[in-house]
Amino acid sequence: MTIMHWLSRSLAAVLLVFFGGWLAAAQAASPDLPRDKGLPVVIKAGVAFVELFGFDENAGTFRATVDVRLSWFDGRLAKSGPILGIPPDTYRDAAAETRMKEIWVPPVVLSNQQGEAAFSSYGLRVYPDGNVELLHRVTADFAVDVDVARFPFDRQQLFTDVAIRGVPIGLVTLQFDQSDIDFSRPSVGAGLPGWSIGLVDLRSSPISSWYNSSEARVTASLTVARQPGLVVASIFIPLLASLLIPLLAIWLNRMEEGVFQVDAFELVNIIIGGLFAVIALNFTVYSSYVVLADGDNTVNRLFALNYLALATALFVNIFFGRFNVLARVFGPYVQEQAYLVIMWAVPVLVAITAAAFMLTAAV
C-alpha cells in the first residue's frame, strides 16, 4: 500500500510539473499580453463574407473571400495627452504586417482553412486611446460538414472558424458584441449558383485542449438554401417516373373468367428493363452527387422504393400470372378479386410513400 501511495504521489507530481511547465510556456509564448484590463484578454471577432466562388458539396469544401475583423485594447499603445479628434494610425498591406511585428497581435488562425490561402492582406488601425482593430482579408478553401438529409430542400452552413491556438482560454478569449454581429454579413454582390444566400450567425464554440483546458473559437456560419428547381427536374422527375414501370407491369394485364390475357413473360421483361433503368439512374445520380450515397436522404429512400416496387411487381406476375397459385388453391374468382385489389392497393401505397418522402424533406 505504501508503494502504491508513493507511486500515485509521484505521478501526480510529474503531471503537475508538466502541466505547470506547459502553462508557463504558453504564457512565455505571449510575454507581451496587454494586461491593462486583467486576464483573459478579450478579443472581439466578426467575419464578413465578401465573395463566394464555389461550393463542392461532394468534397465538403467551399471557396470564399472573407474579412476577419479583430479588435482589442492595449493600453501600451495609447497616446499621452488630449486625444479627442486625433485619427487612428492606419496601416495597409506590407506596412500593416511590419507594424504587427512590433506590437502584440492575438495568435488567431482560421482552423477550417484547407491549404494555403490564394490571397491574404491585412489592414491595421491603432486608435489613440489604445484600441486596436485588425482586418484580415483572405481567399481560401474552407472545410464544412454537409448534411443532405433534406435534399433537395436542404440548407447548408458555410462556416469559418476563427480560433486562438496555443494559448489557453484563461489567457486570451474570443467574444463578439452587436457591432461584430452587424459586421458579420454577406456582401450585396455575394452569390452562389444554385443556392440562395441567407444570414451569418456567430457563435462561441471553444476547442478542447490538453488537460481539460480550452482554447477560444468563434464560428461564423453563412446559411445557404438550395434552389430545388433544377435538381427536381434532373433527379426527382426520373425517379418518380421510374416508379410507373412496375405499376404498368401490374396494370397492363387483365383477366377474363379468371384467366390472364397477357403472358407473364412479356411483363417480366418490362420489369427487368425497369430494373436496369433504375440501376443506370442510380449510377448517374451518385456520380454527380457522391455525398448522397451515404446516409438517409430522400434520394436513397426513393431508390429503395423503386427496387421494392419492382420486386413486388415481379412477385405478383410470377405468383398470379405464371403459376396461378390462388386460382389453383381457392379458384379463379378468388384470384381475380385478389388481383383487382393489388392493382389499386400497390399504386396507392407507392404514391403515398413517395409523397411522404418528399413532404418530409420539404417541411
Side-chain angles (χ1 to χ4, degrees), residues 51-290:
E51 192 171 0
L52 300 172
F53 298 101
F55 175 30
D56 186 349
E57 52 195 309
N58 292 327
T61 61
F62 74 97
R63 169 162 286 209
T65 296
V66 298
D67 281 347
V68 181
R69 189 182 72 174
L70 306 172
S71 56
W72 65 95
F73 177 78
D74 190 341
R76 297 166 299 184
L77 302 178
K79 297 181 184 288
S80 58
I83 60 173
L84 185 63
I86 299 178
D89 297 330
T90 303
Y91 308 88
R92 297 275 178 88
D93 300 325
E97 295 184 29
T98 300
R99 183 57 174 150
M100 288 165 59
K101 296 176 182 178
E102 300 170 350
I103 65 174
W104 181 84
V105 176
V108 168
V109 297
L110 302 180
S111 58
N112 66 322
Q113 179 180 321
Q114 298 290 291
E116 295 294 329
F119 173 80
S120 179
S121 180
Y122 290 93
L124 180 68
R125 288 181 178 176
V126 180
Y127 291 85
D129 60 355
N131 283 303
V132 184
E133 181 182 282
L134 175 64
L135 189 67
H136 183 199
R137 173 164 290 188
V138 57
T139 300
D141 293 323
F142 300 93
V144 294
D145 299 320
V146 180
D147 182 7
V148 291
R150 296 183 56 194
F151 182 91
F153 306 104
D154 53 319
R155 295 172 180 269
Q156 303 297 334
Q157 302 296 325
L158 308 184
F159 60 87
T160 300
D161 282 335
V162 180
I164 300 286
R165 284 299 176 89
V167 181
I169 201 170
L171 295 180
V172 181
T173 187
L174 288 170
Q175 297 180 7
F176 53 88
D177 55 20
Q178 187 60 48
S179 66
D180 300 305
I181 295 174
D182 294 338
F183 174 81
S184 301
R185 63 187 187 278
S187 67
V188 176
L192 200 59
W195 299 84
S196 299
I197 307 300
L199 301 177
V200 176
D201 176 64
L202 292 179
R203 59 185 175 88
S204 178
S205 50
I207 308 170
S208 297
S209 186
W210 292 92
Y211 301 105
N212 294 324
S213 64
S214 299
E215 296 172 350
R217 177 176 64 180
V218 166
T219 299
S221 302
L222 172 64
T223 301
V224 294
R226 191 188 303 273
Q227 297 171 352
L230 181 60
V231 176
V232 169
S234 61
I235 297 179
F236 285 89
I237 290 179
L239 267 174
L240 296 174
S242 63
L243 285 171
L244 295 175
I245 297 175
L247 302 183
L248 286 173
I250 298 176
W251 286 338
L252 288 178
N253 215 335
R254 68 183 190 279
M255 298 186 71
E256 292 181 5
E257 298 180 357
V259 179
F260 286 102
Q261 302 302 305
V262 179
D263 191 347
F265 177 77
E266 298 178 11
L267 298 178
V268 169
N269 282 338
I270 294 177
I271 296 172
I272 298 301
L275 176 62
F276 282 112
V278 174
I279 292 174
L281 181 59
N282 190 311
F283 177 78
T284 302
V285 170
Y286 290 153
S287 296
S288 301
Y289 296 91
V290 179

Side-chain angles (χ1 to χ4, degrees), residues 295-353:
D296 182 24
N297 54 70
T298 312
V299 173
N300 284 340
R301 292 179 180 181
L302 287 176
F303 273 123
L305 183 61
N306 267 278
Y307 291 122
L308 180 61
L310 287 167
T312 301
L314 183 62
F315 172 79
V316 168
N317 277 280
I318 293 177
F319 187 82
F320 286 88
R322 176 64 179 86
F323 295 107
N324 294 300
V325 175
L326 289 183
R328 293 179 180 181
V329 177
F330 300 104
Y333 177 77
V334 173
Q335 176 164 285
E336 183 176 355
Q337 297 305 310
Y339 192 76
L340 288 175
V341 171
I342 290 174
M343 283 183 64
W344 295 107
V346 172
V348 169
L349 289 175
V350 168
I352 291 175
T353 306

